[in-house]
Amino acid sequence: MSILTDISENLQRGKAKVVKELVQQAIDEGIPVKQILDEGLLDGMNVIGEKFKNNEVFVPEVLVAARAMNMGATLLKPLLAEAGVEATGKVCIGTVKGDLHDIGKNLVKMMMEGKGLEVVDLGTDVDPETYVRTAKEQNCQIICCSALLTTTMGVMGEVVKKAEEEGIRDKVRIMVGGAPVTDAFCQQIGADKYTPDAASAADAAVELCKSLA
Ligand code: B1M
């Protein structure tokens, strides 16, 4: 069994300590960081996601898998950052109000930091006022909103409206993403950019920051 399969399977069993050790071993063996992330950690999380959907595993199993994912990802974070360049911009990121899913948001953050962007992490359950106040106070070029629930994605539209009300809409770009979000939804609410995954979100953020420079 390859070490990446081993990482995926131990993540699915919630063996956080083993996952951390295996990720370290994979790094030491020189396996590219992106490959460890995609074929080890994310692969395991995708399997858990499917099983959760089919009622084959339940919230406790998902939570221990998420903890294992985060422990493994913590080791990769500085290496992704090392591959990056000088800070090219500043963004704030959070999961929208009412939504506590943060694994995807943390990945987007990690990838953006890997590209040299400075990222202010607002955590989960973030209301529109907090996004906009942070962008104003900390001079962020981009507000990044993540949502995993169809019931919370509408908050993204409120963020766009709040940014307009506060008069920062011409200076700040708004990026949206998360499993239920689509490009059509992004356009419908008047946000600037939808991306389907963490890597393309990081690339898009760098481009947006360049266009504002
Ligand atoms: Co929840 N959950 N969950 N959950 N959960 C989903 C999302 C769900 C699809 C499962 C299902 O029923 N099939 C479903 C939503 C249904 C819907 O709205 N259509 C659901 C539900 C219903 C719920 C609860 C309501 C369950 C309940 O209590 N009855 C509840 C809600 C709590 C709340 O938020 N208020 C709940 C709770 C939980 C846990 C706490 C158990 C746990 C979260 C743990 C945590 O995040 N710390 C959890 C999990 C883990 C999931 C699943 C299994 C996995 C989500 C995940 O982390 N995926 C999920 C099922 C699934 O997705 N198959 C599910 C891995 C992650 C890397 O992917 O976040 O999509 P994702 O991020 C991707 C992209 O979307 C993108 O980049 C990432 C990868 O490259 N991306 C962006 C994300 N944000 C972006 C922002 C960008 C750009 C790209 O730009 C700014």
Side-chain angles (χ1 to χ4, degrees):
M1 195 199 301
S2 90
I3 188 165
L4 299 179
T5 315
D6 230 0
I7 291 172
S8 168
E9 294 197 345
N10 278 285
L11 183 146
Q12 292 166 47
R13 283 189 231 115
K15 305 271 183 208
K17 207 164 151 248
V18 181
V19 167
K20 198 175 170 195
E21 283 164 9
L22 287 168
V23 168
Q24 187 58 57
Q25 194 185 324
I27 294 169
D28 295 343
E29 284 177 16
I31 299 175
V33 190
K34 181 84 174 51
Q35 199 178 349
I36 303 173
L37 182 65
D38 287 344
E39 295 174 29
L41 298 175
L42 280 180
D43 182 82
M45 208 58 220
N46 285 338
V47 175
I48 280 288
E50 274 306 299
K51 288 189 173 167
F52 187 52
K53 197 162 75 186
N54 299 327
N55 292 321
E56 291 168 41
V57 298
F58 301 96
V59 172
E61 288 96 326
V62 177
L63 282 178
V64 289
R67 196 168 62 97
M69 162 93 202
N70 282 330
M71 275 180 82
T74 307
L75 288 177
L76 299 181
K77 189 176 158 182
L79 300 171
L80 283 164
E82 257 171 39
V85 285
E86 284 280 290
T88 43
K90 189 168 181 181
V91 316
C92 60
I93 188 167
T95 307
V96 297
K97 190 163 180 56
D99 201 326
L100 303 174
H101 295 86
D102 67 355
I103 299 172
K105 184 266 295 172
N106 291 342
L107 275 176
V108 174
K109 177 189 172 192
M110 224 164 77
M111 292 288 182
M112 286 184 173
E113 287 177 338
K115 289 272 173 187
L117 293 167
E118 194 179 341
V119 183
V120 181
D121 188 352
L122 301 170
T124 58
D125 196 21
V126 182
D127 57 38
E129 292 75 16
T130 304
Y131 284 108
V132 173
R133 194 183 57 246
T134 307
K136 277 170 88 171
E137 288 176 0
Q138 303 214 34
N139 289 322
C140 299
Q141 285 108 314
I142 309 176
I143 291 174
C144 296
C145 304
S146 178
L148 263 285
L149 299 171
T150 44
T151 49
T152 60
M153 58 197 272
V155 176
M156 293 173 166
E158 294 173 33
V159 176
V160 176
K161 284 206 188 95
K162 187 73 193 162
E164 277 163 7
E165 280 166 25
E166 293 292 318
I168 60 164
R169 194 65 191 92
D170 56 334
K171 297 185 213 85
V172 175
R173 298 292 172 263
I174 298 176
M175 287 180 61
V176 294
V181 182
T182 60
D183 197 26
F185 177 76
C186 170
Q187 291 179 31
Q188 184 194 320
I189 62 170
D192 297 299
K193 185 77 186 169
Y194 159 77
T195 49
D197 57 62
S200 52
D203 287 341
V206 169
E207 286 311 310
L208 284 176
C209 285
K210 271 190 205 155
S211 73
L212 285 167

